[in-house]
Structure formats: structure tokens, C-alpha cells
Amino acid sequence: MDRPKLEVADIFRRYGEAYRQQHDGSLSTAQRRVMTAIEVCRTAALGGHLERCDCCNYERPCYSSCRDRHCPKCQSLARAAWVEKRTSEVLQTHYFHVVFSVPEQIASIAYQNKKVVYDILFRATAETLSTIAADPKHLGAEIGFFAVLHTWGQTLVHHPHLHCVVPGGGISLDGTRWISCRPHFFLPVRVLSRLFRRLFLMYLEEAFNSGKLRFFTSLAALRDPQALRRHLDPVRNLEWVVYAKPPFAGPQQVVDYVGRYTHRVAISHHRLLAFDQERVTFRWKDYAHCGKQGRMTLGATEFLRRFFLHVLPRGFVRIRHFGFLANRFRASRLALSRQLLSSNSTPPAEVVICATSFQTSSLWHCPRCGAAMIVMRRFTAAELSTCCYFDSS
């Protein structure tokens, strides 16, 4: 993919300082850290290194990256490394993609209490899937899955939701066989939605009663228990959105999909269309109208405000594994799953993993011959001023 002509960093460098001054009292430490990281990513401020092709000896100087998980530039290599580690966990069965979303009234609380409410979102989702799957009326099995937190919509509004990738079946409760669900049906979404709603509201109330929730500015009135109850009353009878997408075509598609999805940020460079120093225009999909492509133009200040809605608390884990994929049981339960799947009379097609699936970034491959680029020497920011390799950079 060609290098984009416009980057998020361009907007940060043009408006970052003005935004800091204008919102000095409301910017969190995490947001300030992300802003600085994106502004200096792959500039002389972070130093650099000299790369050499392992095959044709082509050399090029490169500035170092910030490695911040919110930076659009720094996700390709992180994504490739994560996918490569997880490839061995893919089972030879069909997979489903299930999405859990919360109503707008919950999203506003989540923004002011990110760690607490996002943790509740993971907990309620995991418990919902595991409980319904274990019910003999539905699947009657122990399932394993991973969930990825996304907090944005296509227009960068705050929209917390979890994307869960789930094998189409699980280990029987007595551990003796693999139970497959129907090829095009995982679990009833209405049943999932109602249990998810009940569990989420129960855990949210527990968090409030234990003093873990904080409310400020427009939500300050919710410090009163009666006010919070009135705020949540409308969502108690809503059908919360739980959406099961069509199953993947096969295990290989799961690998490819996971590689694109796990390390997304709020907006990629390739969605940016124009920046006239005052306004930002970007591409978005209107999923309410069959994914129709549209364009949106925002003032630079509003664009930055929406981008910062999605900065996660420091150390927050946004990709989590549950069931037989949980860290404690993964190795033994995966081995058992493969053993049980292999005993099926008609096992799914073999998973074929191509090495090129993980070569998602041209940064580490020679532009001339495609071989690996090796880091030969690193330079600090101070050394770059006297380094001949970076004279023309």
C-alpha cells in the first residue's frame, strides 16, 4: 500500500500546541502523552537507525517510531507480531464474529469512567457468552474466544463495543467430545442481548455502590443514586445491540481478519482525504445504509477532540482471552480441543498459513528486492545532527 499523502500527525503538528493551550484544564495525562508521541513519531526527536537489506545490501536511514498503540503509524508491526503469536491457536473449525454494544446513556458514563466501565463491558460479555454456550438448551459446551475493544464509530464519536471472535463450538462439559454449533448459527442473539443487559447493569450498580464511579461536568448530577437510576431507566427495557455477523469462510480467513482488526486505531491515515490547515475531511462508511461511503468535514479542533475520546487509560488491556483460550488454561485446553476435533468424522479443511500474511509493513522489507531489512546501527536524537546518513532526510 502506498504511503499516504496526509497523516494524523500532520494535524497534530499544526494544531497540537493550540489545542493544548485551549484545553489545558481538561486534557488528561494519557491524552497529552499520546499527542506528544504522535507529533514526534518518526522524526529526529526520537533518533533513528540505519537499515541494510539482507540480500542486495541496499541501505536507508529511518527515524524511530513512538510505538504508542494510539498512533496510526505504529500498528503494522505490532499487529503482525501479535498475529504470528496467535496463529498456532487457530482451530480447524468455523468461526463466528459477535459484537456487543452499549446504549448511548452507558457510553456517556463510560467516557468519564473508562477503566471501570470498559472492564465491566469485558466481564459482562464474557459471562454472557460462556453462560449461554454452557446451557444444554443451546450448546452445552465450554467455549473459548477473544474480545477486542473498539470505542469509536466511523465518524469518531464515542461508541464503546466489543468484537468477539468465537470458534463455532466447544468442549463438552464432561470433556469427552467437541460439540459443534450449526454451520450458520452460533447462539440466539436475543437471549445473549438480554443476559448481557442484565449483567452489565448489575455490575454497573455494584461499581456505583462501591464508590468506583466518578461523575463530572454534565454528568455531575448522577452522583445522586436516584438521578443515576432515572438516567438508566430508559435502557432497562431496550434491546441492547448484540450482532452476530455471518461466519467466516474458514480458519485462514480468521487469521487474515484478526490481522486487520486487532490493532486498529480510531482513524487510519488512508481515510484522510484533505486538510486545509483549518478543516479535516475524511472518508466514512454509513452502516445504517448498507455501508454507503460518505465524506465528513470537521474543524481541526473538533477532529482532535473526537480523536482524544478514544485514548485508553495507561496499561489498559484491550485484547482479552476467555474460556479455553484464557491464559491459565490455553495450552492444555487447546490441545484437548484439537484432539477432540481430530476425532470428528469430517474435519474442516486444513489451515494453510502463508508467511506473507504477516508482512503487513513495507518498513522492514527492501523496496528493491523485498528481502528483510536489518537494523545495522542506531542513533540518538543528538547524534542525528552530525550523522551523514540523515543529511538528506
Side-chain angles (χ1 to χ4, degrees):
M1 185 175 291
D2 295 334
R3 184 179 296 275
K5 296 180 180 179
L6 177 61
E7 298 181 349
V8 172
D10 297 327
I11 304 164
F12 274 60
R13 291 173 190 140
R14 171 67 178 83
Y15 266 93
E17 188 56 38
Y19 193 89
R20 286 185 183 91
Q21 295 176 8
Q22 184 179 355
H23 300 274
D24 182 61
S26 59
L27 275 175
S28 69
T29 302
Q31 291 169 335
R32 292 178 184 274
R33 185 175 62 251
V34 169
M35 179 181 288
T36 301
I38 292 177
E39 286 172 339
V40 302
C41 186
R42 294 186 190 159
T43 68
L46 294 181
H49 54 271
L50 178 67
E51 295 178 347
R52 179 180 297 165
C53 176
D54 198 32
C55 182
C56 69
N57 291 326
Y58 168 77
E59 291 185 343
R60 65 179 174 191
C62 295
Y63 290 119
S64 298
S65 61
C66 67
R67 298 186 181 182
D68 192 282
R69 61 177 169 175
H70 302 91
C71 176
K73 286 183 181 179
C74 296
Q75 301 313 301
S76 294
L77 293 177
R79 177 173 61 242
W82 188 87
V83 170
E84 192 165 12
K85 290 179 181 178
R86 298 296 174 232
T87 299
S88 60
E89 298 169 6
V90 176
L91 298 172
Q92 295 185 25
T93 186
H94 50 288
Y95 278 74
F96 289 86
H97 177 192
V98 187
V99 183
F100 288 78
S101 299
V102 297
E104 183 179 349
Q105 292 90 333
I106 301 295
S108 61
I109 296 175
Y111 180 66
Q112 294 191 0
N113 300 271
K114 288 184 176 180
K115 185 179 187 307
V116 174
V117 178
Y118 293 164
D119 278 337
I120 291 174
L121 178 56
F122 274 107
R123 182 181 179 186
T125 296
E127 193 169 329
T128 296
L129 283 172
S130 299
T131 300
I132 301 302
D135 189 336
K137 292 189 298 184
H138 298 294
L139 189 62
E142 175 197 1
I143 60 172
F145 58 96
F146 72 85
V148 183
L149 173 67
H150 284 187
T151 63
W152 55 86
Q154 280 282 302
T155 58
L156 299 186
V157 295
H158 188 231
H159 174 53
H161 54 286
L162 283 189
H163 294 266
C164 304
V165 178
V166 195
I171 303 170
S172 63
L173 300 183
D174 61 5
T176 61
R177 59 195 178 96
W178 177 268
I179 301 176
S180 295
C181 62
R182 283 179 276 171
H184 300 287
F185 180 82
F186 178 52
L187 293 170
V189 292
R190 180 167 294 184
V191 175
L192 291 172
S193 173
R194 292 177 178 176
L195 179 57
F196 172 61
R197 178 184 62 191
R198 180 171 66 82
L199 291 173
F200 191 102
L201 292 174
M202 179 182 71
Y203 294 138
L204 188 68
E205 184 176 354
E206 288 179 0
F208 178 80
N209 292 337
S210 61
K212 294 180 180 179
L213 297 181
R214 298 287 185 268
F215 300 106
F216 311 96
T217 59
S218 61
L219 298 184
L222 299 187
R223 297 169 187 168
D224 176 67
Q226 297 297 327
L228 179 63
R229 187 172 296 110
R230 289 193 298 270
H231 180 80
L232 295 177
D233 278 344
V235 306
R236 298 183 192 278
N237 298 315
L238 286 178
E239 291 290 344
W240 289 27
V241 176
V242 176
Y243 175 51
K245 294 188 176 184
F248 295 102
Q252 175 61 47
Q253 191 189 39
V254 176
V255 175
D256 295 336
Y257 175 86
V258 168
R260 295 194 307 269
Y261 221 82
T262 51
H263 290 72
R264 282 186 182 174
V265 296
I267 188 167
S268 67
H269 295 322
H270 295 280
R271 285 179 58 198
L272 298 176
L273 298 175
F275 176 46
D276 64 4
Q277 306 302 310
E278 298 291 338
R279 296 175 300 173
V280 182
T281 301
F282 59 91
R283 184 184 299 108
W284 69 289
K285 285 184 180 180
D286 185 357
Y287 288 109
H289 296 87
C290 303
K292 183 180 179 181
Q293 293 277 354
R295 292 188 174 198
M296 175 167 286
T297 299
L298 300 174
T301 299
E302 174 62 13
F303 177 86
L304 291 180
R305 185 193 72 82
R306 294 194 187 190
F307 187 93
F308 287 130
L309 293 176
H310 313 294
V311 173
L312 296 175
R314 188 170 188 176
F316 187 86
V317 180
R318 62 181 294 264
I319 306 174
R320 303 186 186 184
H321 296 75
F322 301 95
F324 62 68
L325 289 181
N327 293 336
R328 287 181 59 191
F329 316 107
R330 186 179 301 157
S332 60
R333 303 305 275 175
L334 274 175
L336 176 60
S337 298
R338 289 196 174 90
Q339 177 185 341
L340 298 176
L341 277 167
S342 65
S343 65
N344 289 351
S345 56
T346 55
E350 182 180 358
V351 182
V352 180
I353 306 298
C354 301
T356 54
S357 298
F358 310 113
Q359 296 177 2
T360 56
S361 173
S362 61
L363 294 172
W364 297 94
H365 298 277
C366 179
R368 291 183 177 176
C369 69
M373 296 291 286
I374 307 299
V375 176
M376 303 302 297
R377 182 180 173 186
R378 298 186 184 277
F379 304 90
T380 65
E383 291 172 331
L384 291 187
S385 60
T386 58
C387 177
C388 61
Y389 294 109
F390 287 83
D391 285 346
S392 59
S393 298

